[in-house]
Amino acid sequence: MAKSNSPYSAAFTACSYLITEFNAILPLLQSSDSAVLLKQEAMDRKYTRINNEASAKKILAEFKRRYSTLPPTFWVWYQGLDDNAQRAALLYAIIKTYRLIFDFHIHVALKKWNSVNHTLVKEDLVMEMLDISSKDEFVDSWSEQTKGKLMSAYLTILRQADMLDKNNNELKPIRLMPSDYKYYVETGDVWFLDACLLTPMEKNEVLNSLA
């Protein structure tokens, strides 16, 4: 079925987190010759180190989509962050880019974090996927295999962002310096502090320090 007006995309299965690769490509995305440079990178794969051109094109397309979701000033700010803050910022960009990841994170992961059980596994995402499918014909048209890959890809992103323990599947908060949350607060995306799994007290301390 055609995508029509659905806000959902399954494209992120081609490209999970890949922060090292994204950071290597970021200067190309920022260049005025971006289109030419990305086309050359798909052929040479100097920075992405991908096995074949077809896979490289898919990954580069998703990198471009993530980059284009936010203004150029965000990425300039991003480049000045330390490793931990960059990991959080890239996760923010990914959540902003893909509606399905937003829904998984806010409707499932955040609820799990606020419950007694902090483990998050694929089975926890099934009901959310079913609920989305019941309301969106495009998502409903996806095969069970595709839906399974999407749920697995989301969990992989959390692990690579260091928000999900690789051994016991326990959710882990992202705790940064208050100044590292400044962009999200100033742009009105205070929800990202909740998405980082901060406690109400931690969130208030950040907001007070930036007031």
Side-chain angles (χ1 to χ4, degrees):
M1 179 178 289
K3 183 178 175 67
S4 63
N5 295 321
S6 174
Y8 296 98
S9 167
F12 66 84
T13 56
C15 173
S16 55
Y17 191 65
L18 300 181
I19 188 169
T20 301
E21 293 82 356
F22 180 84
N23 286 350
I25 295 299
L26 183 53
L28 308 187
L29 293 165
Q30 293 172 309
S31 171
S32 58
D33 294 324
S34 177
V36 173
L37 293 172
L38 292 176
K39 185 176 180 180
Q40 189 64 44
E41 172 59 20
M43 292 187 290
D44 298 343
R45 302 182 293 284
K46 178 181 177 181
Y47 300 107
T48 51
R49 307 291 184 186
I50 306 301
N51 290 333
N52 60 75
E53 185 174 344
S55 295
K57 283 181 177 179
K58 290 179 181 178
I59 288 172
L60 291 170
E62 294 314 305
F63 282 173
K64 184 177 180 180
R65 183 184 299 197
R66 295 170 188 185
Y67 177 79
S68 300
T69 296
L70 292 158
T73 51
F74 171 84
W75 297 109
V76 173
W77 173 74
Y78 170 92
Q79 289 172 306
L81 300 173
D82 64 23
D83 289 347
N84 288 336
Q86 270 196 356
R87 286 186 174 276
L90 183 57
L91 179 65
Y92 167 78
I94 290 171
I95 292 174
K96 291 275 286 187
T97 303
Y98 305 103
R99 173 66 180 274
L100 187 61
I101 291 181
F102 178 89
D103 286 355
F104 281 161
H105 201 70
I106 301 303
H107 300 158
V108 184
L110 188 55
K111 285 184 179 179
K112 287 286 281 186
W113 178 250
N114 290 325
S115 71
V116 176
N117 181 5
H118 291 171
T119 61
L120 182 68
V121 294
K122 189 174 177 180
E123 287 71 22
D124 294 314
L125 303 170
V126 171
M127 288 304 296
E128 180 67 15
M129 182 64 86
L130 287 171
D131 185 55
I132 294 168
S133 295
S134 70
K135 300 171 184 175
D136 190 293
E137 291 184 1
F138 177 61
V139 175
D140 193 45
S141 72
W142 295 344
S143 69
E144 292 305 311
Q145 183 181 22
T146 295
K147 292 175 183 177
K149 286 181 179 179
L150 289 163
M151 290 185 282
S152 295
Y154 167 67
L155 295 175
T156 297
I157 288 168
L158 288 191
R159 291 187 188 100
Q160 293 174 343
D162 200 28
M163 285 201 77
L164 191 66
D165 191 281
K166 296 182 174 95
N167 298 314
N168 59 18
N169 296 313
E170 286 262 353
L171 287 163
K172 301 192 295 182
I174 294 177
R175 293 190 174 100
L176 307 171
M177 296 293 292
S179 58
D180 293 328
Y181 295 107
K182 186 177 180 180
Y183 178 90
Y184 318 117
V185 174
E186 289 185 345
T187 55
D189 279 348
V190 178
W191 60 265
F192 187 63
L193 277 65
D194 297 309
C196 287
L197 309 182
L198 299 186
T199 65
M201 182 178 293
E202 289 171 331
K203 179 181 174 181
N204 286 334
E205 287 176 354
V206 169
L207 294 176
N208 290 336
S209 70
L210 296 175

